[in-house]
């Protein structure tokens, strides 16, 4: 039978290990974007092998024109969700897809890159116009009413959360998942990529997928 002293020490050790595991799990969720994406962006695969991602939308582009998903039929869509006030993930993701498109050469003409804001409050067409031009001449920015944006984010299984941010003049920031979606010429989901994929790999994957 263990002495009370040894039992207490064991109990402390067990508590210490449990706390360590809990902290480790929390750190994994906070620090590893992939873990976050898997938790927040479950991609459900249907029985016919097609992911239930994407769907119809009508939004306003960065020139103020109303556009629908059907306007892009016949082209592949590279779809990214984000917001222009995003400090780091969105800019690096847009640099990544811009560089990958440039690496594709003439094949890139088959792909239309779309940046859909999840912050319609601040991302007006004018705000988007300046932003998208700073990344790629063919990048299209899309905004809409809060309910239009909520609907399209839901269709693409995008995790969005408004969070207080005292450092921002607007007083808030947006947490969001950051997957890159490739939709086919028929509008159906083809593939998704994580922001950490790298220009070369993304270029190769796209090159294979768009034929
Ligand atoms: Ni972002």
């Amino acid at each position: 039978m263990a002495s009370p002293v040894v039992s207490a020490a064991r109990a402390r050790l067990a508590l210490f290990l449990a706390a360590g595991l809990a902290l480790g799990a929390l750190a994994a969720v906070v620090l590893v974007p992939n873990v976050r994406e898997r938790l927040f962006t479950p991609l459900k695969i249907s029985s016919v092998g097609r992911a239930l991602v994407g769907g119809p939308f009508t939004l306003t582009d960065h020139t103020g024109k109303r556009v629908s998903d059907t306007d892009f039929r016949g082209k592949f869509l590279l779809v990214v969700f984000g917001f222009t006030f995003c400090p780091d993930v969105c800019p690096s993701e847009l640099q990544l897809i811009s560089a990958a498109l440039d690496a594709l050469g003439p094949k890139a003409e088959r792909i239309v890159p779309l940046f859909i804001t999840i912050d319609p409050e601040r991302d007006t067409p004018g705000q988007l116009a300046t932003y998208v031009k700073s990344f790629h001449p063919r990048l299209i920015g899309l905004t809409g009413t809060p309910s239009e944006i909520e609907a399209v984010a839901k269709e693409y299984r995008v995790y969005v959360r408004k969070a207080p941010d005292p450092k921002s003049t607007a007083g808030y920031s947006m947490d969001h998942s950051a997957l890159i979606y490739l939709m086919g010429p028929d509008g159906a989901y083809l593939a998704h990529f994580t922001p950490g994929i790298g220009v070369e790999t993304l270029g190769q994957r796209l090159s294979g997928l768009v034929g």
Side-chain angles (χ1 to χ4, degrees):
M1 196 178 138
S3 78
V5 175
V6 171
S7 294
R10 274 196 188 141
R12 269 203 305 278
L13 181 65
L15 200 67
F16 180 73
L17 287 176
L21 281 175
L23 267 178
L26 185 68
V29 170
V30 172
L31 299 175
V32 184
N34 284 345
V35 172
R36 256 164 102 156
E37 273 157 20
R38 255 178 263 130
L39 285 176
F40 298 138
T41 317
L43 290 178
K44 298 189 185 88
I45 308 296
S46 77
S47 55
V48 289
R50 287 237 156 158
L52 301 173
V53 174
F57 62 78
T58 300
L59 297 165
T60 306
D61 76 7
H62 64 267
T63 69
K65 197 177 78 177
R66 294 289 281 173
V67 292
S68 297
D69 58 303
T70 48
D71 297 337
F72 302 107
R73 289 291 183 272
K75 294 274 188 187
F76 291 87
L77 290 180
L78 203 52
V79 186
V80 169
F81 288 79
F83 65 118
T84 66
F85 289 85
C86 181
D88 41 32
V89 176
C90 291
S92 56
E93 199 171 31
L94 290 172
Q95 272 163 16
L96 166 74
I97 66 166
S98 300
L101 286 175
D102 288 343
L104 275 180
K107 265 192 188 180
E109 298 297 321
R110 299 175 200 170
I111 305 172
V112 178
L114 297 182
F115 177 70
I116 304 180
T117 184
I118 43 92
D119 184 14
E121 217 175 292
R122 287 184 287 188
D123 286 341
T124 58
Q127 171 74 20
L128 281 172
T130 319
Y131 191 72
V132 293
K133 271 173 212 152
S134 70
F135 291 99
H136 199 274
R138 291 180 50 242
L139 181 62
I140 295 175
L142 295 176
T143 186
T145 64
S147 60
E148 285 168 348
I149 293 300
E150 197 187 320
V152 71
K154 204 171 164 189
E155 283 179 342
Y156 279 82
R157 306 288 190 267
V158 176
Y159 163 80
V160 178
R161 193 178 71 92
K162 193 173 181 171
D165 179 11
K167 282 179 284 173
S168 145
T169 39
Y172 71 91
S173 187
M174 302 297 290
D175 289 344
H176 65 98
S177 51
L179 293 179
I180 302 161
Y181 301 95
L182 182 71
M183 312 303 284
D186 57 354
Y189 165 91
L190 283 181
H192 70 274
F193 315 100
T194 57
I197 188 171
V199 174
E200 202 179 322
T201 311
L202 180 58
Q204 283 165 358
R205 293 286 313 277
L206 288 176
S207 182
L209 285 160
V210 307

